[in-house]
Amino acid sequence: MTHNDELFARAQTAMPGGVNSPVRAFGSVGGTPRFFVSARGPFVTDADGREYVDLVASWGPAILGHAHPAVIDAVTAAAARGLSFGASTPAETELAEQIAGRVSAVERVRLVSTGTEATMTAVRLARGYTRRDLVVKFSGHYHGHSDGLLAQAGSGLATLALPGSAGVPEAIAAQTIVIPYNDPEALAAVFAQHPDRIAAVITEAAAANMGVVPPKPGFNALLARTCHEHGALLILDEVLTGFRVGPAGFWGLQEAAGEKYTPDLFTFGKVVGGGLPVAAVAGRAEVLEMLAPLGPVYQAGTLSGNPVAVAAGLETLRHADAEVYARLDSAAAQLSAAVADALGREGVAHVIQHAGNLFSVFWGEAVSAGVSDYETAVQQESFRYRAFFHAMLDAGVSLPPSAFEAWFLTAAHDDTALGRIVDALPAAARAAASARP
């Protein structure tokens, strides 16, 4: 047994499934999860001392690369001043100002600890503001694991082929309406069926939890227009895309491309915490000021705005400049082209889809013409990804352990790191080509 095997066996006696987040268990790809003990730049090292080029990047926040010296220095200095005060700190305001400075549609920010907490708060806030109960979400979109948002949620649920979650009361689930993504007719129909009852539509800015599925041109603007025509709010979930695909997230990319719309609420996570637990709800002042202590919508958290976590997020955003985003965009374009070339040479039907510098591969003829919704995404031949994943892992490349996840690069992925990935692709493509269900 390897040390990874021993650690996983031990973990299973102490934690459900041996993990603290389901996708880490390798359930959809099989084999023994890697237990990582250190990371630096574009590399992670497991408990057996083996180094891998990392394409998970802590699911996004390691945008500068792991253990970036400036971020480590900021965290170390903050920790030396005290780990937590349960009181306000100056850095909280600085981080809120950073967020608002990057996203011009943001007027107020409330810091929380996780993406799930951010989306849960946004939904409660929308209901309190509109005095309505129903929330519309899209199949395949993941907004954390709060009770009302797990239906057809993509991500780990897609990986495990679960429709939702046990433990969610029917009465709560009934307050969420799930419709197909990128479908204007379904959107119009749900508002026609439930006039004056919908509090909000919540959507990933670009879907990245069923694989990367960007909105069709004009779809996000249509969401905003439809919501506002019916007195509902638009919640734009940028937990994955925010500050990763561009300095103002996916909304900023669309704004720059001429697609103008204004969400009422944003949710941010991942990059905004720089690898530590920070997330945020942000948006219009009129809506955010419904939160306690100014308004009747309650939200609180002892660790909200934790000074050490805020230091990591603030330093990460300060260093995530134009050069970083240019590097990410270039590396993503180079790598996705190399993947397409390797798969094409082996005759593996596939399509690679992008949302800025996020991308993922969909496998098989059924999806090769492109994926615009969850119903199509789940038709892919994910067994090919299992073979591809393990061939890459054997060659020292750590990919997301699910076909339904985005691939994440960092600004530290230099030519050496990218070269190691590219060198591993031909054998992995052959493995995918010969894979069987």
Side-chain angles (χ1 to χ4, degrees), residues 115 119 141-144 149 202-206 209 235-242 265-269:
T119 55
H141 285 216
Y142 179 68
H143 305 291
L149 295 175
I202 184 169
T203 183
E204 291 185 64
N209 284 285
I235 303 169
L236 197 70
D237 183 347
E238 294 238 34
V239 167
L240 276 181
T241 53
L265 293 169
F266 293 83
T267 59
F268 299 112

Side-chain angles (χ1 to χ4, degrees), residues 38-44 53-69 71-72 239-240 242-245 269-278 312-313 315-317 319-320 324-325 327-328 357-358 407-414:
S38 66
R40 184 165 296 277
F43 303 111
V44 290
V53 184
D54 184 29
L55 288 171
V56 178
S58 191
W59 301 104
I63 188 171
L64 305 177
H66 291 288
H68 187 278
V71 177
I72 297 301
V239 167
L240 276 181
F243 314 124
R244 165 154 279 278
V245 300
K270 310 297 187 187
V271 172
V272 78
L276 290 179
V278 179
E315 199 66 20
T316 296
L317 288 181
H319 281 78
V324 164
Y325 291 111
R327 176 61 189 163
L328 286 168
N357 53 53
L358 287 182
W407 296 22
F408 297 90
L409 286 149
T410 79
H413 279 76
D414 56 14

Side-chain angles (χ1 to χ4, degrees), residues 204-222:
E204 291 185 64
N209 284 285
M210 53 175 164
V212 174
V213 181
K216 291 180 177 178
F219 186 71
N220 282 355
L222 173 65

Side-chain angles (χ1 to χ4, degrees), residues 104-190:
S104 61
V106 167
E107 297 173 333
R108 297 289 187 276
V109 178
R110 170 62 62 89
L111 298 181
V112 295
S113 296
T114 69
T116 288
E117 190 181 357
T119 55
M120 178 184 71
T121 301
V123 167
R124 181 180 298 167
L125 188 52
R127 285 173 168 153
Y129 181 83
T130 62
R131 298 184 180 182
R132 299 173 178 179
D133 292 339
L134 297 183
V135 171
V136 176
K137 74 174 291 285
F138 296 101
S139 55
H141 285 216
Y142 179 68
H143 305 291
H145 63 269
S146 62
D147 283 358
L149 295 175
L150 274 176
Q152 296 184 39
S155 192
L157 290 169
T159 298
L160 299 173
L162 300 175
S165 174
V168 177
E170 290 184 11
I172 293 177
Q175 302 304 308
T176 302
I177 301 170
V178 183
I179 63 174
Y181 186 45
N182 276 323
D183 189 334
E185 290 75 21
L187 179 69
V190 77

